[in-house]
Amino acid sequence: MVGISHLGVNMWDDVYKSSECYWGLNPNGNLVQSLSLVPKGNVLDIGAGEGRNALFFAKHGFHVLCLDISQVASTKCKKLAEKLGVSIDYEISDIRKFSSSPCRFSCIICSAALPFMKKNEAKEVIEKMKEWLVYKGIILISVFTTEDPMYKTYLDEGLKEFENETFFDPKIGEYFCFFRKGELKKHFSNFKIMHYSEKCFLDKHHGKPHRHGIAEIVAQNNRAKSLSDKLEKE
Ligand SMILES: C[S@@+](CC[C@H](N)C(=O)[O-])C[C@H]1O[C@@H](n2cnc3c(N)ncnc32)[C@H](O)[C@@H]1O
């Protein structure tokens, strides 16, 4: 993570203390475009940070549950919600330990929260998210790809891969995982893909401008309604 290079402290709390609104307030454009497709109900924002996406849904009348490991992010998001006169629930929780009943959420957002764990953990979380989504619900996920310069740096530095496309960065004290070309999309073969992109872009939102390789998917749960009903009953 640009500008953060130390061990033993909560990296994310430090990130959120370092600026007024680290990721800005604009919601993800693909979510804005998908708004009309989201069935009324509950929204789950995983790794919600300061809540730029969560607040957008709260403003549109959805009940929103945010999850994040950062207490600082939670405090900032709640203050923003108060200012906007909307209400959100915010749980300090690690997504790897979070559990939910099936078919509970109309929309699940997981914007750039999966890169900070092992690949196998990220994949498990993806499969769980799919079960938590209602029939016709919308999911948005973005991950780092092997086109990300960080991946190439780790390889060049000779850092040992912990498991497939997962590295433990000793300077930061975190695992990072990267998805191969087309890998994220493969998890959604039984969903309707509304948007899929893989690109390398210049990130000017925080720290020094730097490049990121990102894959992003927006998909709709079109698995047979009977399957969603079955999951709900189990
Ligand atoms: C790159 S930021 C993205 C923030 C927000 N989703 C956005 O798009 O503006 C990643 C967020 O994921 C959170 N995070 C990282 N690992 C997490 C985990 N295991 N469980 C829950 N949240 C996590 C971090 O605290 C951070 O707020």
Side-chain angles (χ1 to χ4, degrees):
M1 213 18 80
V2 172
I4 304 287
S5 55
H6 46 69
L7 281 166
V9 282
N10 184 330
M11 171 176 99
W12 290 110
D13 277 349
D14 287 352
V15 165
Y16 290 118
K17 277 181 203 158
S18 71
S19 87
E20 197 176 335
C21 199
Y22 199 79
W23 309 109
L25 281 175
N26 293 333
N28 176 302
N30 286 319
L31 281 177
V32 177
Q33 279 188 14
S34 309
L35 180 68
S36 61
L37 297 174
V38 177
K40 280 281 162 239
N42 302 313
V43 172
L44 175 66
D45 189 351
I46 295 167
E50 296 143 324
R52 65 189 179 104
N53 295 317
L55 293 167
F56 168 74
F57 277 97
K59 276 193 271 180
H60 282 89
F62 289 86
H63 175 262
V64 184
L65 171 62
C66 295
L67 283 191
D68 205 292
I69 48 175
S70 167
Q71 179 71 57
V72 177
S74 156
T75 306
K76 288 173 85 177
C77 181
K78 284 186 202 156
K79 273 193 189 146
L80 281 169
E82 213 178 293
K83 250 192 203 169
L84 293 168
V86 295
S87 115
I88 46 151
D89 286 330
Y90 208 117
E91 207 175 302
I92 307 297
S93 175
D94 186 322
I95 183 55
R96 291 167 288 189
K97 296 184 186 141
F98 178 79
S99 66
S100 162
S101 48
C103 308
R104 178 173 161 203
F105 298 102
S106 304
C107 180
I108 300 182
I109 308 156
C110 188
S111 162
L114 295 179
F116 311 100
M117 58 189 75
K118 298 170 198 158
K119 174 75 88 65
N120 279 341
E121 293 174 330
K123 289 181 162 198
E124 262 176 42
V125 173
I126 293 176
E127 290 309 311
K128 284 199 273 183
M129 287 192 279
K130 283 162 65 179
E131 296 205 346
W132 300 337
L133 207 56
V134 300
Y135 177 62
K136 295 276 180 197
I138 297 287
I139 187 164
L140 175 139
I141 302 178
S142 61
V143 293
F144 290 176
T145 66
T146 50
E147 292 303 307
D148 194 289
M150 230 162 105
Y151 177 74
K152 295 186 192 282
T153 305
Y154 289 149
L155 288 180
D156 291 347
E157 285 174 352
L159 211 64
K160 200 168 164 296
E161 257 173 293
F162 175 84
E163 60 186 32
N164 288 348
E165 296 87 33
T166 299
F167 294 90
F168 180 76
D169 186 327
K171 289 193 257 77
I172 300 178
E174 287 275 349
Y175 285 98
F176 287 89
C177 74
F178 303 86
F179 280 62
R180 294 186 308 275
K181 204 173 170 42
E183 192 177 0
L184 176 62
K185 200 175 183 181
K186 272 200 191 141
H187 283 269
F188 291 90
S189 55
N190 49 2
F191 275 51
K192 182 173 178 190
I193 313 275
M194 316 302 286
H195 162 86
Y196 184 74
S197 61
E198 287 178 6
K199 59 184 175 199
C200 217
F201 73 100
L202 190 64
D203 187 348
K204 293 181 183 166
H205 289 104
H206 56 99
K208 288 186 210 144
H210 55 287
R211 299 195 85 77
H212 271 309
I214 298 274
E216 182 163 288
I217 193 159
V218 180
Q220 186 179 46
N221 179 11
N222 267 9
R223 295 189 290 190
K225 178 143 177 31
S226 54
L227 175 63
S228 296
D229 288 345
K230 185 172 164 272
L231 283 169
E232 203 165 7
K233 278 189 198 122
E234 277 172 4

